[in-house]
């Protein structure tokens, strides 16, 4: 039994040994989440246990992430300089235009997340989130709320549990980008949020961010793109002049609602506002970035350490098209290969925010897989080596009823200016019963022995 398995087993016994006490503190936790407006569906997963990452695994995650990000930066730079490589990203014309604009600072991504899964003890990166990564304030707030829960306090008697990350790293990264863009000492920060029609109030997480920025001396507001105007060289929401936009709107979401004449775009092109992350980050947000990373013809001259990180941690990926390509040093017809190797592959939309379905070959019948391939050919999809992920048991609060449920875990290292400063976690239901509300963020602690 591993140290992590031991901690999970002990935690679950603590929960099950005193049901009435568990019900009491679970109800208090629900009230705390509601009071901070953090309990909206699909944001917080209703689990009653944090996610634990062993210290050794976290150290390996940090090293692999930072090495891979260096390789991703090389690919992005090469794509901007090479139209043939850029075409393989399958950007929309408006995305290409936005990516061509110099953001006014040298960083390809100021803040980002990587979706990481553990399979048979190995780490695999399956998605790079650099467009509008979320979770900094949410993860930190959840870690604080859970830290003094009765079973967590009891577990801390035997194990050392360390919180990770924190909003301070985000603010430092924002200010570093702005110092390259403009030398004003105290910039005014707008958190750009695209509020949905059913969302009457601002996100609780974004309010937490704004409150933190203000406590640190930086004027900050949560702003909707529909509220801003650009005149006399200033982007503003009413009387609030905006120097930095912390962009929590993806490019896809923005382009569905607005065109390139929007005030935010005009101010960005005129270098009157510093946008973090810049629209250039869309280059890496596309899953096709992994197709370039796993193409030896593209990475042949990369440093040996980066090529090893790609081999060890990135699943083989190709953009779906009727072409010949390479797989394990063999030349294959890609479409025939996809049909013949269904159980080893998945089909995923090139843009994770496009609202398209993913298809898992291992759980699809042959006829359904052939239909999925036809859908992929009509859209913008990648085919990727399937990563077999083992589910992890979590106690779940289902309206007051406590159940142990199998969950899939995405560990998400939080990266600022190329350095990992923390780790958040995204859980999803592993029961395979179809649509489930058991999805969302959970707190993460680094686990190690006290001895």
């Amino acid at each position: 039994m591993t140290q992590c398995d031991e901690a999970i087993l002990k935690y679950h016994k603590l929960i099950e040994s005193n049901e009435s006490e568990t019900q009491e503190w679970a109800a208090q936790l629900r009230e705390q989440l509601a009071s901070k407006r953090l309990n909206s569906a699909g944001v917080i997963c209703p689990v009653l246990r944090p996610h634990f990452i062993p210290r050794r695994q976290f150290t390996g995650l940090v090293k692999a992430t930072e090495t891979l990000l260096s390789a991703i930066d090389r690919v992005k730079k090469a794509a901007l300089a090479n139209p043939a490589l850029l075409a393989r990203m399958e950007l929309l014309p408006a995305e290409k235009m936005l990516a061509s604009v110099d953001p006014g600072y040298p960083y390809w991504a100021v803040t980002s997340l990587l979706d990481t899964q553990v399979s048979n003890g190995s780490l695999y990166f399956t998605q790079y989130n650099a467009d509008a990564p979320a979770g900094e304030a949410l993860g930190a707030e959840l870690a604080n709320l859970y830290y003094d829960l009765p079973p967590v306090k009891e577990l801390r008697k035997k194990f050392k549990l360390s919180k990770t990350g924190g909003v301070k790293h985000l603010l430092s990264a924002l200010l570093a980008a702005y110092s390259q863009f403009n030398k004003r000492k105290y910039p005014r920060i707008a958190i750009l949020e695209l509020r949905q029609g059913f969302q009457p109030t601002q996100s609780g997480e974004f309010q937490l961010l704004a409150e933190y920025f203000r406590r640190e001396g930086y004027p900050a507001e949560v702003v909707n793109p529909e509220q801003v105007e650009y005149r006399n060289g200033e982007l503003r929401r009413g009387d609030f002049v905006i120097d930095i936009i912390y962009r929590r709107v993806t490019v896809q979401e923005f382009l569905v609602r607005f065109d390139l004449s929007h005030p935010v775009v005009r101010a960005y092109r005129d270098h009157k506002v510093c946008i973090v992350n810049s629209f250039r980050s869309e280059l890496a947000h596309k899953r096709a970035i992994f197709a370039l990373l796993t193409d030896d013809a593209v990475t042949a001259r990369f440093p040996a350490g980066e090529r090893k990180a790609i081999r060890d941690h990135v699943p083989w990926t190709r953009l779906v098209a009727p072409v010949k390509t390479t797989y394990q040093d063999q030349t294959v017809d890609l479409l025939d290969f996809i049909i013949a190797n269904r159980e080893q592959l998945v089909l995923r939309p090139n843009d994770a925010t496009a609202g398209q379905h993913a298809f898992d070959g291992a759980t699809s019948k042959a006829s359904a897989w052939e239909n999925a391939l036809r859908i992929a050919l009509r859209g913008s999809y990648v085919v990727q080596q399937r990563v077999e992920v083992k589910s992890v048991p979590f106690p779940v609060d289902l309206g007051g009823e406590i159940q142990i449920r199998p969950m899939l875990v995405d560990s998400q290292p939080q990266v600022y200016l190329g350095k990992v400063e923390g780790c958040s976690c995204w859980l999803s239901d592993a029961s395979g019963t179809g649509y489930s509300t058991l999805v969302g963020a959970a707190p993460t602690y680094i686990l190690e022995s006290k001895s």
Side-chain angles (χ1 to χ4, degrees):
M1 180 183 295
T2 67
Q3 184 184 67
C4 194
D5 290 336
E6 180 186 354
I8 290 173
L9 183 61
K10 180 175 178 61
Y11 194 98
H12 290 183
K13 285 182 177 179
L14 290 169
I15 285 218
E16 294 166 347
S17 63
N18 194 332
E19 185 174 340
S20 61
E21 181 181 290
T22 298
Q23 296 281 0
E24 182 179 347
W25 63 253
Q28 292 173 353
L29 179 62
R30 288 195 299 271
E31 291 174 2
Q32 289 176 309
L33 292 172
S35 69
K36 296 177 180 293
R37 298 201 303 276
L38 296 175
N39 60 340
S40 55
V43 176
I44 304 294
C45 194
V47 295
L48 299 179
R49 174 174 71 74
H51 173 50
F52 302 128
I53 297 182
R55 171 63 70 179
R56 183 176 179 180
Q57 187 182 101
F58 182 73
T59 300
L61 177 63
V62 169
K63 181 180 179 181
T65 298
E66 293 181 355
T67 304
L68 183 63
L69 286 175
S70 178
I72 289 175
D73 281 352
R74 292 182 198 278
V75 168
K76 287 188 287 187
K77 185 176 181 179
L80 277 180
N82 186 327
L85 286 183
L86 186 62
R88 289 172 62 178
M89 304 296 295
E90 294 201 346
L91 298 175
L92 298 172
E95 292 172 335
K96 286 184 181 180
M97 191 288 294
L98 290 172
S100 70
V101 178
D102 184 343
Y105 52 80
Y107 314 113
W108 290 100
V110 176
T111 173
S112 57
L113 295 175
L114 276 160
D115 286 352
T116 312
Q117 296 176 337
V118 178
S119 178
N120 296 322
S122 298
L123 296 170
Y124 291 95
F125 299 107
T126 57
Q127 172 69 31
Y128 180 48
N129 302 289
D131 193 7
E136 298 95 344
L138 187 59
E141 191 66 25
L142 289 176
N144 289 335
L145 287 176
Y146 278 63
Y147 198 68
D148 288 320
L149 293 181
V152 176
K153 291 174 69 174
E154 186 65 27
L155 198 67
R156 283 163 45 200
K157 294 178 180 179
K158 182 173 183 179
F159 299 97
K160 180 181 178 182
L161 300 179
S162 302
K163 303 174 189 178
T164 73
V167 182
K168 64 180 181 180
H169 300 295
L170 170 62
L171 179 57
S172 294
L174 288 173
L175 296 177
Y178 190 72
S179 71
Q180 298 287 325
F181 181 88
N182 190 304
K183 298 302 182 183
R184 181 176 295 174
K185 187 175 182 181
Y186 289 104
R188 293 152 292 197
I189 305 172
I191 301 167
L192 196 68
E193 172 195 26
L194 188 60
R195 202 177 309 164
Q196 306 298 329
F198 57 82
Q199 185 182 349
T201 60
Q202 296 165 339
S203 160
E205 181 185 14
F206 301 157
Q207 279 299 316
L208 287 173
L209 281 175
E211 290 166 5
Y212 176 80
F213 295 158
R214 289 193 288 264
R215 286 197 304 270
E216 294 299 307
Y218 299 93
E221 299 290 343
V222 181
V223 174
N224 191 296
E226 295 173 344
Q227 299 172 326
V228 302
E229 60 178 340
Y230 179 52
R231 54 185 171 85
N232 300 325
E234 290 182 334
L235 187 70
R236 58 173 62 235
R237 195 276 303 273
D239 294 333
F240 184 72
V241 178
I242 300 168
D243 299 310
I244 301 177
I245 284 180
Y246 176 47
R247 181 171 62 89
R248 295 312 334 284
V249 181
T250 70
V251 172
Q252 283 275 349
E253 290 170 333
F254 187 87
L255 292 176
V256 165
R257 298 278 292 274
F258 311 105
D259 59 28
L260 298 181
S261 65
H262 189 275
V264 167
V265 177
R266 290 190 285 119
Y268 178 63
R269 295 176 72 173
D270 290 347
H271 293 90
K272 297 299 183 182
V273 68
C274 178
I275 295 184
V276 176
N277 279 334
S278 76
F279 290 118
R280 185 167 283 181
S281 65
E282 183 70 4
L283 285 172
H285 182 69
K286 302 291 186 180
R287 287 191 170 108
I289 194 80
F290 282 13
L292 298 183
L293 283 170
T294 56
D295 185 345
D296 289 340
V298 176
T299 62
R301 296 186 178 181
F302 283 22
E306 293 178 11
R307 287 186 281 115
K308 183 179 187 304
I310 293 168
R311 288 195 304 271
D312 291 347
H313 304 297
V314 180
W316 175 89
T317 307
R318 290 294 184 270
L319 200 66
V320 176
V323 297
K324 290 189 180 297
T325 189
T326 56
Y327 177 79
Q328 295 183 352
D329 298 325
Q330 300 293 317
T331 299
V332 298
D333 181 286
L334 182 59
L335 300 188
D336 290 344
F337 179 83
I338 292 172
I339 292 297
N341 295 274
R342 166 173 55 90
E343 294 186 354
Q344 302 174 34
L345 303 171
V346 292
L347 293 167
R348 303 183 191 275
N350 188 23
D351 194 308
T353 63
Q356 298 165 301
H357 292 290
F359 304 95
D360 184 350
T363 59
S364 302
K365 294 182 179 180
S367 58
W369 184 245
E370 291 173 7
N371 184 59
L373 180 56
R374 286 191 288 270
I375 292 172
L377 284 166
R378 291 196 297 269
S380 181
Y381 270 73
V382 300
V383 59
Q384 196 169 62
Q385 189 83 37
R386 188 176 190 271
V387 177
E388 185 70 40
V389 182
K390 182 181 178 181
S391 64
V392 180
F394 277 84
V396 178
D397 181 4
L398 299 176
E401 180 185 358
I402 312 301
Q403 296 182 11
I404 303 294
R405 298 287 289 268
M407 305 294 290
L408 298 177
V409 179
D410 270 335
S411 295
Q412 299 178 322
Q414 298 170 348
V415 185
Y416 304 97
L417 303 178
K419 297 295 182 182
V420 176
E421 300 289 0
C423 188
S424 54
C425 168
W426 189 262
L427 302 181
S428 55
D429 190 0
S431 63
T433 56
Y435 175 77
S436 174
T437 58
L438 294 183
V439 61
T444 298
Y445 300 126
I446 299 172
L447 175 77
E448 53 192 320
S449 175
K450 279 193 170 183
S451 58

